[in-house]
Amino acid sequence: MFLNNRKRTLLGILICFSLAITSAQDSNTNNGKVLLEYKTMVLGGTFSYLPIYKINSQRISATINSEMESAENDFSKVYEENWNNLVFNSYWKNKLKKPFKLYFKDTIFSSPVEHKMVVTSRYGWRRGRPHQGIDIDLRTGDNVKALLGGKVRYVRRHGGHGRTIVIRHDNGLETVYAHLSGYLVKENDIVEKGQIIGKGGISGNARGSHLHLEVRYRGKSIHPEYLFDFSEITKIRSKEIAVTQKWMTPRSHRSTRKSKIIVQTDIDNVIPENPAKKSIYIVKRGDTLHGIARKHDIEVSEICKINSIRYNSVLNIGQEILIY
C-alpha cells in the first residue's frame, strides 16, 4: 500500500519529532526524567513509537532539600562566629565599620514582659555615664520573654547587670536581658520568639526591680528604640535598617527623654544626621552648677567635662556655660 504525498510528509514530521524528543529526553534522564514506556501509533499503515516520560519528583525534592540544607548551613555561621559562653562581649577584639545594614525576617517582635511596656529610662547619657539600653518596668518574679527567636549565648552574672541572658538572633543581632532573679534557659539553647527565658528581679546595680534590655551588634550597643517600637503594636521599624554612628552613641541621646526616631534604610544614601545641639547658658546671680544641671536635664559631671571645669568651681556672673 502506497502513501500519498500528504501522509508521507506527515509521517516524516512525526518520526523526526519522536526522534528529537527521544534524544532530548534520554539526555535529560539524569536530570530528573524517567522513561516509563513507548506509545505505539499507526499512521498510514506504518507503526511509530512515542516515548512516555514522567518527572522524577523524588529527585527534584532531594535537590530542593539539598538547597535548603545548604542555606541552613550558611545561616548557621551566625551562631559560630565569635561564639563564646564565658564572655559577655565576645566581639571585644573586633572593630565595627559604620554605617552598616541590619535585615529582619520578622515584622513584629514579642514584648519582653507580659504587661504593658513602660520604659522608665532610655538609651543615652545618664548620671554622667552612658546608659546603653532601656529599662522596662516589672516586678520581681515576672516572666521575661525573648524578643525574637535565636540561640542563647550567655547565661551568668555580669558586673552591674547582675544575672544576665544574652541571645543571638538570625541576623547577628544580640539582645541582653539583665537584673534577672532567675534563669529558665541555659547556654546554647534554641529559643523561640516570645518564649519565657527568665524571671525579673533586682540583681546587680538595680535601683528597684526592672528589666534592663540592650540591643547589640558585634559587641556595640544600638539604641533599642531605633530598631523596635516599644508600644502595643510591637513593630520592627523596618525589614531593612541602616544603623549610623548616632544610634550607637549614648552621648547623642538623653535617658530622660524620647529621641526623635527617623529610620534610615538606604545605606548607600545615608542622610547626614545633626550632632547633639549645643547651647550657651549665661550665668546669672545665684546660679549653681546643680541648678543649671537640673534646668537643662543634664548631669553636673557632664557640664564639668564639656566646659573643662571642676565640680567645686566658682561661677561668675556673665560666665558662658556650654550645654549639649
Side-chain angles (χ1 to χ4, degrees), residues 178-211:
H179 302 321
L180 303 176
S181 61
Y183 309 123
L184 296 177
V185 292
K186 61 183 182 300
E187 291 154 352
N188 301 318
D189 278 355
I190 302 298
V191 296
E192 298 179 355
K193 178 169 67 175
Q195 180 176 331
I196 298 173
I197 58 173
K199 298 288 185 178
I202 54 174
S203 61
N205 297 333
R207 297 186 177 186
S209 60
H210 66 271
L211 171 66

Side-chain angles (χ1 to χ4, degrees), residues 96 98 100 123 130-133 214-224 243-245 247-250:
L96 178 62
K98 299 178 281 291
F100 61 88
Y123 182 94
H131 185 231
Q132 301 192 72
E214 292 186 11
V215 177
R216 291 176 169 264
Y217 184 73
R218 295 183 176 270
K220 306 299 182 183
S221 68
I222 304 174
H223 196 316
V243 181
T244 60
Q245 180 68 40
W247 298 102
M248 304 182 73
T249 308

Side-chain angles (χ1 to χ4, degrees), residues 38-252:
Y38 285 92
K39 179 73 172 180
T40 304
M41 300 183 65
V42 179
L43 182 62
T46 302
F47 289 90
S48 179
Y49 302 92
L50 293 179
I52 306 299
Y53 287 82
K54 77 169 182 177
I55 296 177
N56 187 347
S57 58
Q58 184 175 2
R59 184 184 300 249
I60 292 175
S61 175
T63 302
I64 293 174
N65 290 337
S66 176
E67 291 174 353
M68 290 177 64
E69 288 174 4
S70 176
E72 288 176 358
N73 290 336
D74 292 338
F75 194 64
S76 68
K77 292 179 181 179
V78 172
Y79 301 108
E80 296 174 358
E81 184 182 30
N82 287 69
W83 188 264
N84 191 321
N85 299 133
L86 303 176
V87 179
F88 174 74
N89 180 4
S90 62
Y91 289 96
W92 65 277
K93 290 184 179 180
N94 299 63
K95 290 185 178 181
L96 178 62
K97 185 178 179 180
K98 299 178 281 291
F100 61 88
K101 201 163 189 179
L102 280 174
Y103 299 87
F104 292 89
K105 65 179 182 181
D106 297 286
T107 55
I108 61 172
F109 66 96
S110 171
S111 168
V113 295
E114 295 181 332
H115 52 269
K116 181 179 179 180
M117 285 182 288
V118 178
V119 178
T120 57
S121 184
R122 291 188 150 83
Y123 182 94
W125 205 250
R126 185 180 73 174
R127 294 191 291 275
R129 63 181 63 184
H131 185 231
Q132 301 192 72
I134 62 173
D135 293 343
I136 298 176
D137 188 40
L138 53 64
R139 295 173 298 182
T140 298
D142 283 354
N143 289 330
V144 173
K145 300 187 292 184
L147 266 70
L148 299 168
K151 186 175 181 180
V152 180
R153 185 179 65 78
Y154 183 91
V155 181
R156 59 189 61 229
R157 297 186 74 97
H158 174 251
H161 285 152
R163 292 186 178 91
T164 303
I165 294 174
V166 178
I167 299 176
R168 185 175 296 181
H169 306 287
D170 297 342
N171 58 0
L173 204 67
E174 291 189 335
T175 48
V176 179
Y177 310 80
H179 302 321
L180 303 176
S181 61
Y183 309 123
L184 296 177
V185 292
K186 61 183 182 300
E187 291 154 352
N188 301 318
D189 278 355
I190 302 298
V191 296
E192 298 179 355
K193 178 169 67 175
Q195 180 176 331
I196 298 173
I197 58 173
K199 298 288 185 178
I202 54 174
S203 61
N205 297 333
R207 297 186 177 186
S209 60
H210 66 271
L211 171 66
H212 176 76
L213 175 69
E214 292 186 11
V215 177
R216 291 176 169 264
Y217 184 73
R218 295 183 176 270
K220 306 299 182 183
S221 68
I222 304 174
H223 196 316
E225 292 178 280
Y226 180 62
L227 306 180
F228 304 103
D229 181 357
F230 289 92
S231 66
E232 293 180 357
I233 62 175
T234 61
K235 179 183 177 181
I236 297 173
R237 295 195 184 273
S238 177
K239 298 200 79 170
E240 299 182 11
I241 300 180
V243 181
T244 60
Q245 180 68 40
K246 175 182 177 180
W247 298 102
M248 304 182 73
T249 308
R251 192 180 290 276
S252 299

Side-chain angles (χ1 to χ4, degrees), residues 21-40:
I21 293 177
T22 302
S23 176
Q25 291 183 331
D26 282 344
S27 65
N28 289 329
T29 300
N30 293 329
N31 294 326
K33 293 182 179 180
V34 177
L35 177 64
L36 290 179
E37 59 180 340
Y38 285 92
K39 179 73 172 180
T40 304

Side-chain angles (χ1 to χ4, degrees), residues 262-288:
I262 300 177
V263 177
Q264 301 206 49
T265 58
D266 188 354
I267 196 169
D268 296 322
N269 296 288
V270 171
I271 301 171
E273 297 167 315
N274 295 327
K277 293 182 179 180
K278 302 177 183 178
S279 63
I280 295 177
Y281 179 79
I282 308 299
V283 176
K284 302 178 180 62
R285 184 183 298 276
D287 276 338
T288 64

